[in-house]
């Protein structure tokens, strides 16, 4: 049977297996209409239902493979043994066969020099000549590589050798969750494993990856009880249209997974989005807590029918010691309809953390109380008397339940705040900023006087403002900062928050003052040192700014942002070697941070090393495909090499991505520039007008922003709007009259109005301030100067 035919048989078989006899007959007539042999093949599979053994851990593909006689043979075993001793990629020596799955064989290998173990996965022999399985094997590795998470099996490399593909994986010395399901888990043990599982899936879903085969056999446990979710062999990455839950399934997806753990919508209609994983995880959780599968029946047909039609038995019948909130969570995860299921694995994770917080609080409180009773019986008697009086309502003590509830609320607020604070440490991910805002809001609903949560909420709004043009976000940030100061006037974070907003509004002296107040409260606050450095830099106090950056790094040497900000400080001074050192440190501390790789490419870009700059900008986009600034500078690098055909599609993509970001006018302006010099003046002029509108919107937050006025001056010049261009240029040069870049841009403006003498004077001054000759040669706007006065132009380019 050819692969396409087999996949068609699979799809119809799995669609029919959960139906009753009447519905199945109708279904098969519809699906096999005009193809009697197809119906016969499906019927032959259905007849094997009662013969299936161990189906709970078999995937749909494995079941079908066995029915067609695709089990491992003696020859396979010989091949496995012959593989021992093979050296992969000149580094890994295969030492032991570990086991086999539905698609691949897994071996242990050891690094030939260091001796450290890895796991090597190769396609099973029966699939090695199948291009579809080979591609699926590679896709599994790609999905796992996207997930840099401690609870996901790490992929070290993918190697092609001797016509085969090998996936080099983290070696996990442990056992699967399946081997531990011989008895129900206690609440503490369950929560520890369940939270790690939910955390791993949340990371996958944040990358729009749906695992589609969550089951106990795909959850590994190390000796220290660390969870590793593995086997992304049937995972799929949702398109953007699938993110809202509307039919996330791909039309070409071939049904696979483990039927006993599939969500109803997958079994019935091959439909899925991230909520399919929530159902599967709910089945695993139920099995852990009850000691049995919630839908297990005598055969596969009956089991899948129960998944589609029946509610699981109340888990309280199997385990009477479960918290009510945990029982409600399980019910929400196992809802038949996706729309009635809990909305995301992030919500599952949050609920599990709350359950653990409440469980630990009550348990520890009770333990502490009983210990006190043993130590101080008289105190216990007094406490008991107070409790009795309070319950009777004869004095004005709050009932103990309210006291506990208030304490529990505060602890939950702290938990939410901590999660949000941790997310902001990786603020280079825009989704982290939105998630942190949600977490801080939740914390403040539980405790409306939580000063630290207000301060961090203000910082998050400020960071979001950096990614948008919404001036309202600055007001939201200010309100949160003021609330923080109201509840704690001495809190360093409150003043850092106020300093950040002042900096964004161009009030640099006010910003510096707030950061200094923060440092009086907490001299070790690296965020205050970092913010003060930027405020001092904005005032031209370069040595003082440098000192503050060094203090920020001294206080917290392992935080990537301090090194990245310090690198920006250096490259603005054209101290490129120092900048590169700081960015390299930042990239080592935050290896998946596309923003840092973008910054690392910038000194090379500013120094005219465009090939090196392009390398880093492309790496930044590899890490963060939607990092607009990297795409913008990548396009600009090609533009300055006069490769307009390469620059335009990249810059167009940057414009499409950047719409609504804080400086999206830069992307529009760069694309307009590329269109202009490629000869497309019509589109160029439209984009210049759009860029002017967007830049004026940005000026609403900081009307004196010299960079914005400089850009508007150039755009108006390209549109031959001389009066407007000169007005904006005058405003810009008030703040940047000693800046080489601004003088170079001013020369562009002068050239457009044939003010060649003034343009030469501006460039000569810029050259004295460090402007590199390659910049003058690279800018097509300045070509007219070479024609107007060749000798003066050549002199301008001469090294000094």
């Amino acid at each position: 049977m050819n692969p396409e035919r087999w996949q068609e048989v699979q799809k119809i078989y799995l669609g029919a297996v959960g139906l009753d006899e009447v519905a199945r007959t109708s279904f098969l007539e519809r699906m096999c209409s005009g193809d009697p042999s197809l119906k016969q093949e499906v019927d032959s599979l259905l007849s094997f239902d009662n013969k299936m053994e161990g189906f709970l851990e078999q995937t749909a593909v494995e079941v079908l493979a066995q029915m067609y006689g695709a089990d491992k043979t003696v020859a396979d075993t010989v091949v496995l043994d012959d593989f021992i001793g093979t050296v992969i990629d000149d580094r890994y020596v295969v030492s032991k066969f570990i086991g086999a799955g539905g698609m691949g064989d897994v071996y242990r290998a050891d690094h030939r020099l260091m001796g450290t173990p890895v796991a090597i996965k190769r396609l099973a022999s029966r699939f090695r000549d199948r291009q579809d399985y080979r591609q699926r094997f590679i896709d599994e590795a790609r999905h796992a590589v996207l997930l840099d998470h401690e609870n996901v099996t790490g992929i070290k490399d993918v190697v092609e050798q001797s016509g085969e593909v090998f996936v080099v994986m983290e070696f996990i010395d442990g056992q699967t969750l399946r081997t531990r399901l011989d008895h129900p888990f206690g609440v503490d043990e369950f929560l520890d494993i369940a939270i790690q599982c939910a955390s791993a899936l949340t990371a996958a879903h944040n990358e729009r990856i749906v695992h589609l085969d969550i089951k106990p056999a795909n959850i590994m446990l190390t000796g220290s009880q660390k969870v590793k979710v593995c086997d992304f062999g049937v995972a799929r990455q949702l398109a953007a249209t699938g993110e809202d839950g509307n039919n996330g399934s791909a039309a070409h997806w071939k049904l696979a997974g483990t039927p006993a753990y599939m969500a109803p919508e997958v079994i019935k209609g091959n439909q899925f989005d991230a909520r399919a994983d929530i159902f599967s995880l709910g089945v695993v959780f139920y099995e852990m807590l009850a000691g049995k599968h919630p839908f297990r029946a005598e055969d596969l047909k009956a089991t899948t029918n129960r998944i589609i039609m029946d509610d699981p038995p109340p888990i309280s019948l199997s385990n009477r010691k479960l918290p009510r909130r945990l029982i409600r969570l399980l019910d929400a995860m196992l809802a038949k309809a996706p729309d009635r299921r809990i909305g995301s694995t992030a919500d599952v994770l949050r609920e599990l953390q709350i359950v653990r917080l409440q469980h630990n609080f009550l348990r520890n409180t009770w333990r502490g109380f009983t210990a006190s009773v043993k130590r101080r019986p008289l105190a216990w008697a007094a406490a008991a008397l107070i409790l009795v009086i309070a319950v009777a309502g004869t004095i004005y003590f709050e009932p103990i339940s309210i006291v506990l509830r208030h304490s529990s609320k505060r602890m939950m607020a702290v938990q939410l705040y901590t999660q949000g604070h941790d997310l902001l440490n990786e603020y280079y991910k825009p989704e982290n900023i939105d998630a942190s805002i949600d977490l801080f809001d939740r914390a403040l609903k539980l405790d409306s006087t939580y000063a630290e949560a207000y301060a961090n909420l203000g910082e998050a709004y400020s960071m979001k403002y950096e990614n948008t043009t919404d001036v309202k976000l600055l007001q939201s940030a200010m309100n949160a900062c003021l609330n923080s100061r109201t509840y704690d006037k001495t809190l360093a974070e409150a003043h850092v928050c106020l300093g950040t907003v002042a900096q964004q509004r161009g009030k640099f002296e006010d910003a510096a003052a707030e950061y200094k107040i923060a440092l009086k409260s907490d001299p070790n606050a690296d965020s205050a040192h970092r913010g003060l450095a930027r405020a001092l830099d904005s005032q031209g106090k370069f040595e003082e700014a440098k000192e503050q950056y060094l203090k920020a790094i001294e206080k917290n040497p392992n935080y990537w942002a301090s090194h990245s900000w310090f690198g920006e400080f250096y490259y603005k001074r054209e101290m490129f070697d120092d900048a590169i050192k700081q960015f390299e440190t930042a990239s080592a501390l935050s290896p998946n941070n596309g923003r840092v790789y973008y910054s690392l490419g910038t000194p090379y870009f500013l120094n005219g090393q465009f090939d090196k700059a392009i390398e880093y900008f492309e790496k930044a986009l590899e890490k963060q495909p939607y990092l607009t600034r990297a795409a913008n500078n990548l396009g600009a690098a090609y533009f300055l090499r006069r490769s307009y055909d390469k620059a335009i599609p990249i810059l167009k993509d940057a414009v499409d991505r950047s719409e609504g970001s804080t400086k999206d006018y830069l992307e529009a302006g760069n694309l307009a520039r590329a269109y202009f010099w490629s000869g497309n003046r019509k589109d160029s002029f439209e984009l210049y007008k759009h860029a002017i509108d967007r830049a004026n919107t940005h000026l609403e937050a900081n009307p004196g922003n010299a960079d914005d006025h400089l850009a508007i001056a150039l755009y108006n010049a390209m549109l031959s709007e001389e009066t407007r261009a000169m007005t904006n240029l005058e405003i810009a040069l008030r703040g940047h009259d000693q800046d080489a870049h601004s003088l170079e841009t001013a020369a562009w403006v002068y050239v457009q109005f044939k003010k060649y003498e003034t343009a030469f004077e501006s460039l000569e001054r810029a050259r004295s301030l460090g402007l590199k000759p390659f910049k003058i040669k690279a800018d097509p706007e300045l070509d007219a100067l070479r024609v107007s006065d060749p000798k003066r132009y050549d002199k301008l380019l001469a090294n000094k």
Side-chain angles (χ1 to χ4, degrees):
M1 181 181 296
N2 65 47
E4 292 74 18
R5 183 70 164 187
W6 188 20
Q7 294 297 337
E8 189 175 7
V9 170
Q10 281 187 65
K11 181 177 179 180
I12 297 173
Y13 162 73
L14 287 170
V17 75
L19 303 177
D20 60 35
E21 188 172 350
V22 174
R24 179 186 292 180
T25 300
S26 175
F27 175 79
L28 291 176
E29 287 178 355
R30 184 173 71 255
M31 298 301 293
C32 302
S33 177
D35 194 341
S37 64
L38 178 60
K39 185 174 183 303
Q40 184 178 359
E41 288 161 358
V42 176
D43 283 337
S44 68
L45 296 180
L46 293 169
S47 69
F48 278 93
D49 279 344
N50 293 327
K51 298 178 182 178
M52 293 184 185
E53 298 289 340
F55 66 84
L56 285 179
E57 286 305 321
Q58 288 182 291
T59 66
V61 173
E62 288 173 301
V63 169
L64 293 170
Q66 290 172 10
M67 290 177 180
Y68 280 98
D71 294 326
K72 287 192 179 296
T73 64
V74 175
D76 290 299
T77 306
V78 173
V79 172
L80 295 178
D81 292 340
D82 285 349
F83 192 56
I84 305 300
T86 301
V87 180
I88 304 297
D89 199 31
D90 291 327
R91 289 181 293 170
Y92 305 110
V93 182
V94 178
S95 58
K96 181 181 179 182
F97 174 66
I98 298 174
M103 190 169 67
D105 302 322
V106 183
Y107 298 80
R108 172 177 170 147
D110 299 287
H111 195 288
R112 66 191 310 176
L113 296 180
M114 295 184 291
T116 52
V118 296
I120 302 281
K121 188 172 182 179
R122 71 192 297 214
L123 270 174
S125 60
R126 63 185 179 275
F127 298 132
R128 285 174 205 154
D129 294 331
R130 292 275 302 277
Q131 184 58 38
D132 53 342
Y133 278 91
R134 187 185 179 96
Q135 186 59 52
R136 188 172 135 194
F137 191 63
I138 295 171
D139 287 344
E140 174 185 359
R142 285 175 178 162
H143 290 141
V145 164
L146 287 173
L147 304 178
D148 181 16
H149 192 276
E150 62 179 351
N151 297 124
V152 176
T153 304
I155 301 295
K156 296 178 176 293
D157 204 354
V158 177
V159 177
E160 189 166 11
Q161 179 175 312
S162 302
E164 281 194 62
V165 175
F166 303 97
V167 178
V168 184
M169 305 183 297
E170 172 186 10
F171 180 78
I172 302 169
D173 187 8
Q175 57 185 330
T176 69
L177 180 59
R178 166 56 58 202
T179 63
R180 298 277 299 280
L181 289 176
D182 54 346
H183 64 278
F185 282 65
V187 173
D188 289 327
E189 187 181 15
F190 165 79
L191 287 171
D192 184 47
I193 293 171
I195 285 172
Q196 294 181 72
C197 291
S199 180
L201 283 182
T202 298
H205 293 174
N206 285 343
E207 298 291 342
R208 305 196 312 279
I209 294 172
V210 187
H211 189 285
L212 291 173
D213 198 16
I214 292 297
K215 59 183 179 181
N218 282 340
I219 298 170
M220 294 289 296
L221 301 175
T222 69
S224 61
Q225 297 304 294
K226 190 162 193 172
V227 166
K228 292 287 185 177
V229 175
C230 55
D231 198 350
F232 282 77
V234 299
R236 288 295 180 272
Q237 189 162 21
L238 297 177
T241 54
E243 291 177 347
D244 59 1
N246 295 329
N247 188 19
S249 62
H252 64 278
W253 184 64
K254 297 172 182 177
L255 188 63
T258 306
Y261 292 87
M262 283 181 181
E265 65 271 20
V266 179
I267 294 172
K268 289 190 296 184
N270 195 18
Q271 301 293 307
F272 67 85
D273 59 17
R275 292 170 295 184
D277 280 349
I278 294 175
F279 184 90
S280 300
L281 190 62
V283 175
V284 173
F285 285 178
Y286 187 105
E287 198 168 0
M288 291 172 69
L289 292 167
K292 60 183 180 182
H293 192 284
F295 303 106
R296 184 170 189 169
E298 66 276 6
D299 57 33
L300 183 57
K301 179 181 72 173
T303 297
T304 53
N305 194 52
R306 282 186 180 180
I307 290 173
I308 294 169
M309 303 296 296
D310 298 343
D311 292 327
I315 197 168
S316 57
L317 297 177
S318 301
N319 192 333
R320 298 181 181 276
K321 298 180 180 181
L322 300 180
R324 290 184 180 179
R325 188 162 192 149
L326 181 55
I327 293 173
R328 290 197 298 270
L329 172 60
L330 280 177
D331 290 342
M333 294 175 73
L334 292 173
K336 301 297 182 189
D339 291 342
R340 301 192 65 182
R341 221 168 280 155
I342 189 168
S344 70
T345 47
D347 292 333
V348 173
L349 177 60
R350 182 167 49 251
E351 285 296 305
L352 290 168
Q353 288 169 331
I354 291 172
V355 169
R356 180 166 66 179
L357 194 67
Q358 292 175 332
H359 181 69
N360 290 346
F361 176 78
L362 293 172
R363 181 188 58 195
N364 294 339
T365 300
W366 177 252
R367 286 177 179 171
F369 178 70
T370 54
S372 297
V373 168
K374 292 177 181 178
R375 290 195 307 268
R376 302 175 63 190
L378 290 178
W380 170 81
L385 178 61
I386 291 173
L387 179 60
V388 170
I389 294 172
V391 171
T394 56
I395 61 175
Y396 294 108
F397 284 109
E398 282 188 302
I400 190 68
S401 62
I402 296 178
V403 174
L404 290 176
R405 186 163 66 249
H406 285 178
S407 299
S408 181
K409 277 188 174 183
R410 174 66 180 183
M411 291 183 72
M412 283 189 281
V414 170
Q415 180 80 3
L416 293 167
Y417 161 78
T418 302
Q419 291 177 44
H421 181 76
D422 290 345
L423 285 174
L424 281 189
N425 284 333
E426 296 184 342
Y427 64 85
Y428 63 88
K429 300 177 181 178
E431 64 270 21
N432 278 13
I433 298 173
D434 289 333
S436 69
I437 289 173
D438 176 65
L439 289 164
F440 295 137
D441 280 336
R442 290 170 183 264
L444 290 166
K445 286 177 182 176
L446 293 168
D447 183 353
S448 60
T449 65
Y450 198 165
E452 289 90 343
Y454 277 118
N456 277 259
L457 179 62
E459 287 286 345
Y461 277 130
S462 295
M463 291 172 181
K464 188 167 184 177
Y465 167 73
E466 288 290 335
N467 296 327
T468 70
T469 53
D470 190 354
V471 181
K472 294 178 182 176
L473 289 170
L474 274 185
Q475 189 58 51
S476 297
M478 176 60 80
N479 292 341
C481 299
L482 292 172
N483 281 332
S484 178
R485 190 178 64 179
T486 297
Y487 292 112
D488 189 344
K489 289 183 173 62
T490 64
L491 183 68
E493 289 101 317
H495 294 284
V496 169
C497 184
L498 289 166
T500 301
V501 175
Q503 176 78 16
Q504 289 173 320
R505 287 181 165 170
K507 299 179 179 180
F508 307 129
E509 292 181 2
D510 291 347
E514 291 292 347
Y515 290 127
K516 288 175 182 177
I517 294 172
L519 288 169
K520 285 182 180 178
S521 296
D522 183 2
N524 293 317
D526 62 298
S527 59
H529 285 296
R530 194 165 52 249
L532 179 57
R534 182 166 282 183
L536 292 169
D537 189 7
S538 299
Q539 297 175 69
K541 300 177 181 179
F542 305 132
E543 288 303 316
E544 293 176 55
K546 179 180 177 180
E547 181 182 350
Q548 290 301 319
Y549 277 126
L550 289 171
K551 285 184 177 179
I553 292 171
E554 177 189 345
K555 301 301 181 185
N556 189 356
N558 294 321
Y559 186 38
W560 68 270
S562 292
H563 294 281
S564 186
W565 288 28
F566 199 16
E568 292 174 13
F569 169 84
Y570 276 130
Y571 81 59
K572 288 177 182 175
R573 314 272 90 76
E574 297 196 354
M575 301 169 69
F576 295 133
D577 290 343
D578 291 318
I580 289 168
K581 287 178 183 177
Q582 292 299 325
F583 291 135
E584 286 177 341
T585 302
S587 67
L589 293 169
S590 185
N592 292 310
N593 189 335
R595 181 169 175 163
V596 171
Y597 288 111
Y598 154 78
S599 296
L600 191 49
T602 302
Y604 293 107
F605 177 81
L606 295 176
N607 205 29
Q609 296 174 263
F610 296 129
D611 289 343
K612 195 72 174 176
I614 286 169
E615 176 188 337
Y616 280 114
F617 294 149
E618 287 179 341
K619 190 166 187 177
L621 290 169
E622 177 187 329
K623 298 293 182 182
Q624 289 178 257
Y626 294 96
L627 189 62
T628 303
R629 65 183 70 185
N632 183 48
N633 274 17
L634 178 61
Y638 280 118
F639 173 87
L640 292 174
R641 284 170 41 173
R642 308 287 177 108
S643 299
Y644 303 135
D645 57 330
K646 290 185 178 179
I648 287 173
I650 297 171
L651 292 171
K652 189 175 186 305
D653 187 47
V655 168
D656 292 340
R657 292 177 181 180
S658 70
E659 190 66 32
S661 71
T662 185
K663 285 194 174 182
D664 59 354
Y665 70 81
L666 293 177
E667 285 77 27
N670 280 342
L671 179 57
R673 189 182 181 198
Y675 277 142
F676 185 94
W677 293 106
S678 69
N680 184 352
R681 301 298 166 88
K682 180 178 180 295
D683 287 338
S684 173
F685 293 154
E686 289 300 316
L687 273 167
Y688 275 131
K689 292 174 185 176
H690 175 71
I692 290 170
D693 289 341
R694 299 302 296 165
N696 280 322
T697 300
H698 192 256
L699 278 173
E700 292 176 16
N702 182 4
N705 189 304
D707 290 332
D708 294 343
H709 283 289
L710 200 62
I712 295 171
L714 174 61
Y715 302 157
N716 275 315
M718 301 307 291
L719 293 171
S720 301
E721 296 283 352
E722 185 170 357
T723 302
R724 293 178 180 176
M726 291 304 176
T727 300
N728 286 110
L729 185 60
E730 182 182 353
I731 296 171
L733 292 180
R734 287 175 195 165
H736 276 313
D737 57 345
Q738 298 299 314
D739 184 292
H741 169 70
S742 63
L743 290 168
E744 178 199 12
T745 307
W748 294 354
V749 175
Y750 298 139
V751 167
Q752 299 312 307
F753 301 114
K754 296 183 171 51
K755 299 177 184 289
Y756 298 138
E757 177 64 27
T758 312
F760 271 119
E761 291 173 357
S762 185
L763 287 174
E764 286 162 354
R765 191 174 176 194
R767 283 285 283 122
S768 70
L769 294 172
L771 181 67
K772 300 290 177 62
F774 82 85
K775 281 288 288 151
I776 298 172
K777 291 174 65 177
D779 293 329
E781 290 85 355
L782 301 177
D783 286 352
L785 295 179
R786 183 174 61 244
V787 177
S788 69
D789 192 337
K791 289 184 179 180
R792 192 172 182 181
Y793 182 85
D794 290 341
K795 184 178 179 181
L796 191 62
L797 299 181
N799 291 324
K800 295 183 180 180

